[in-house]
Amino acid sequence: MEVEGIFPPLSLSAKFEGSFAYLTVRDRLPTILTKVVDTLHRNKENFFKDYGEDGIKAEKRAISFLSKLRNELQTDKPVLLLTDNAEDTEAWNEYMGRQQDLMEDGQPVSWFKSPWLYMECYMYRRIQEALYMNPPMDKFDVYKEGKTQSFFESQQAIKSLCTYLQELITNMENMTEMKLRENFLKLLQVSLWGNKCDLSISAGQDNSQRSNPIDSLSDLQRFIIVDDSNMVWSTLVAAQGSGSSGKKHARVDIILDNAGFELVTDLVLADFLISAGLAKQIRFHGKSIPWFVSDVTKQDFEWTIMQTVAANHKWMSASGVQWKHFMKEGTWSYHDHPFWTLPHEFCDMPLDAADLYRSLQGSDLILFKGDLNYRKLTGDRKWEHTVLFDRALRGFHPAPLCSLRTLKADVQVGLQPGQAEKLSSQDPDWMTSGKYAVVQFSSPHREQ
Ligand code: F6P
Ligand code: MG
């Protein structure tokens, strides 16, 4: 944990043998690489159909690149500079220099010695390099099948959720502020628990939602270990009259995490915010390359809306039609920025992605979905559990923000004294099992 006198605390890393970071780098990352290779193998026929012999050759080269990568990881080789000349290549290579400067005794930056956050992001970026370097593979999303499957396997839950949403919208006119708040909090929690369904924690195993998500909420309540939802609500209400004309114009930004069921829960929440007049504009932020197995790309985002429109279910399809309309009229918009797929902690954003930081400053509320975003918010460091969230953000305060995250990595701040100890004694895996969650808020005004 945070060693007194060291600020910021050390990064989580596989160099701490037996830690979750260590186990991830040793076991889970190689498994993910193996699955990527399998996916390319399985799609061989398709590559041949689409691109003939060139497709087959590219597939072979990409597989050999990935097999080498797995070997580099497993034998803790120094990490290599990227060579693919993509828009973010220079930023990655420059970051490696920064990491090198942090290494003790001039040791090279390597898989088991460097920060876990950096190494895990680097693996996903190297997978992308394997594809970039081997056109026509460069457009292929190796995780697409898993994401599609997770969407289809959650159909029942999606239908229930869309039906619930459409009922709310029908009754919206007569809803008291108290009811509005109650329903907002429910959908916020659905979006929170949607984050259980990511595919990287299970190394790509099915993790879809099958039951009606609204029914499970009260049982899940006790697993929310920090619940600042009231502050999220107050922020939205306060943003209502903030337009110069006194009209409602609140803008909410959602930093998306996973495709499949989780994305639908985010879209449902966003629809409610607009339909209830709590926000005028929603800006979704996704990844510009396939990332951490299940993260949303532009293609996933558009595909999900199209599939929802085309569903053979009245309320699901009505929701999809409405979402398509929101996108068309600009009430909703989708954005990506290379910074989201760089390994940086978010406190680096003001310097390393000043344009993105400035644009987020225009938001009334930023919702950060998921575990990886939490790791980047807090820098993935060995914080004491009682350190304030604001402090762990280390100056990252573009606008009021809230993390909606189920815990899948051993970093957690903002707990009450004794809370972490109690959780550890009841449930030693509380930080990594995905069973617990936080709705953790920070406002720039509360900065100290
Ligand atoms: O180690 C589990 C893990 O791969 C983490 O690295 C990462 O934070 C998480 O899974 C991804 O979860 P999420 O999709 O919620 O960001
Ligand atoms: Mg994810």
Side-chain angles (χ1 to χ4, degrees):
M1 286 301 112
E2 189 180 357
V3 181
E4 226 171 293
I6 300 187
F7 185 86
L10 297 176
S11 301
L12 300 175
S13 166
K15 73 179 171 199
F16 302 112
E17 243 174 84
S19 67
F20 189 64
Y22 171 80
L23 297 174
T24 296
V25 176
R26 193 193 63 183
D27 302 333
R28 210 139 30 86
L29 299 190
T31 308
I32 287 172
L33 280 171
T34 304
K35 291 212 168 180
V36 171
V37 168
D38 284 352
T39 305
L40 293 182
H41 262 309
R42 262 188 300 105
N43 279 279
K44 200 169 169 177
E45 296 280 298
N46 293 334
F47 299 137
F48 184 70
K49 245 199 297 157
D50 294 344
Y51 310 109
E53 277 307 317
D54 284 351
I56 297 285
K57 280 189 202 144
E59 182 240 21
K60 273 204 182 126
R61 280 195 309 262
I63 289 181
S64 126
F65 183 105
L66 291 165
S67 308
K68 261 176 47 208
L69 175 62
R70 188 175 44 206
N71 183 267
E72 287 165 27
L73 185 163
Q74 289 178 315
T75 53
D76 195 24
K77 289 280 180 318
V79 308
L80 305 175
L81 291 168
L82 296 178
T83 57
D84 52 16
N85 283 325
E87 73 172 323
D88 61 348
T89 305
E90 214 181 292
W92 273 97
N93 290 344
E94 191 266 333
Y95 196 79
M96 185 200 281
R98 286 190 217 180
Q99 289 296 333
Q100 185 58 64
D101 292 343
L102 296 174
M103 295 300 288
E104 282 164 25
D105 311 325
Q107 285 191 68
V109 176
S110 73
W111 296 89
F112 284 80
K113 295 196 187 72
S114 294
W116 172 33
L117 176 62
Y118 170 42
M119 292 326 313
E120 195 168 16
C121 291
Y122 175 79
M123 182 192 81
Y124 286 99
R125 183 57 182 80
R126 288 285 305 277
I127 295 175
Q128 192 56 30
E129 186 185 31
L131 304 176
Y132 277 157
M133 299 293 283
N134 292 296
M137 305 288 293
D138 47 340
K139 303 265 170 332
F140 187 68
D141 181 347
V142 277
Y143 316 113
K144 181 75 194 157
E145 287 169 8
K147 292 187 272 193
T148 309
Q149 192 185 350
S150 143
F151 176 83
F152 286 124
E153 282 170 358
S154 310
Q155 283 301 288
Q156 217 28 61
I158 294 176
K159 286 175 189 166
S160 315
L161 196 53
C162 289
T163 307
Y164 184 78
L165 172 71
Q166 295 306 322
E167 273 168 17
L168 287 183
I169 293 176
T170 315
N171 298 317
M172 200 73 91
E173 294 238 313
N174 312 318
M175 224 179 262
T176 59
E177 178 156 334
M178 216 171 85
K179 267 276 162 224
L180 210 59
R181 177 176 169 280
E182 195 182 293
N183 285 312
F184 164 73
L185 295 181
K186 272 192 189 160
L187 292 181
L188 192 74
Q189 283 191 14
V190 170
S191 164
L192 167 68
W193 291 114
N195 181 244
K196 252 190 168 173
C197 306
D198 92 280
L199 297 173
S200 74
I201 188 85
S202 53
Q205 294 297 315
D206 167 33
N207 222 354
S208 20
Q209 169 78 28
R210 293 199 165 73
S211 56
N212 182 342
I214 300 286
D215 293 347
S216 336
L217 292 182
S218 56
D219 289 344
L220 290 170
Q221 183 70 49
R222 68 197 167 97
F223 297 109
I224 304 180
I225 59 175
V226 176
D227 188 358
D228 293 336
S229 346
N230 283 333
M231 288 191 242
V232 182
W233 171 255
S234 321
T235 302
L236 278 174
V237 172
Q240 295 302 293
S242 58
S244 49
S245 58
K247 283 213 182 108
K248 303 172 181 182
H249 79 172
R251 168 184 141 191
V252 175
D253 286 62
I254 305 183
I255 319 303
L256 296 168
D257 186 1
N258 302 306
F261 180 69
E262 179 171 359
L263 175 58
V264 176
T265 66
D266 301 333
L267 297 172
V268 166
L269 175 65
D271 186 338
F272 181 81
L273 289 173
I274 299 291
S275 305
L278 290 163
K280 194 89 185 196
Q281 198 195 347
I282 310 278
R283 289 163 65 93
F284 294 98
H285 299 262
K287 307 295 194 292
S288 44
I289 54 173
W291 196 243
F292 274 68
V293 186
S294 39
D295 285 13
V296 177
T297 61
K298 184 163 194 258
Q299 217 197 7
D300 299 323
F301 188 85
E302 289 169 351
W303 180 89
T304 303
I305 295 187
M306 254 165 48
Q307 288 297 321
T308 313
V309 172
N312 188 12
H313 180 273
K314 187 174 167 194
W315 302 122
M316 189 170 159
S317 161
S319 304
V321 169
Q322 182 59 66
W323 301 346
K324 197 170 153 193
H325 177 71
F326 284 150
M327 287 299 290
K328 197 161 165 228
E329 65 176 13
T331 308
W332 283 9
S333 51
Y334 178 90
H335 306 262
D336 49 31
H337 190 288
F339 187 78
W340 301 123
T341 46
L342 288 176
H344 301 55
E345 310 170 43
F346 288 159
C347 64
D348 292 340
M349 194 192 287
L351 276 182
D352 289 305
D355 55 333
L356 178 61
Y357 193 75
R358 264 195 309 276
S359 102
L360 291 177
Q361 284 176 313
S363 186
D364 292 290
L365 172 67
I366 314 174
L367 298 175
F368 283 90
K369 293 296 316 283
D371 194 67
L372 178 60
N373 277 327
Y374 191 84
R375 292 174 59 196
K376 289 185 162 191
L377 284 165
T378 57
D380 211 37
R381 291 173 180 275
K382 294 182 155 211
W383 294 104
E384 290 286 357
H385 296 303
T386 48
V387 157
L388 294 179
F389 186 37
D390 287 334
R391 180 167 155 85
L393 290 171
R394 293 175 61 219
F396 180 71
H397 290 295
L401 62 89
C402 179
S403 159
L404 298 175
R405 171 236 186 180
T406 59
L407 281 63
K408 303 171 203 158
D410 46 1
V411 54
Q412 181 59 55
V413 297
L415 298 188
Q416 298 301 318
Q419 195 180 358
E421 290 73 8
K422 193 166 165 210
L423 283 160
S424 302
S425 70
Q426 286 167 350
D427 210 337
D429 292 338
W430 65 279
M431 278 195 285
T432 53
S433 60
K435 183 169 155 194
Y436 293 88
V438 293
V439 178
Q440 200 157 25
F441 179 82
S442 165
S443 157
H445 311 296
R446 302 191 325 154
E447 195 177 345
Q448 4 117 51

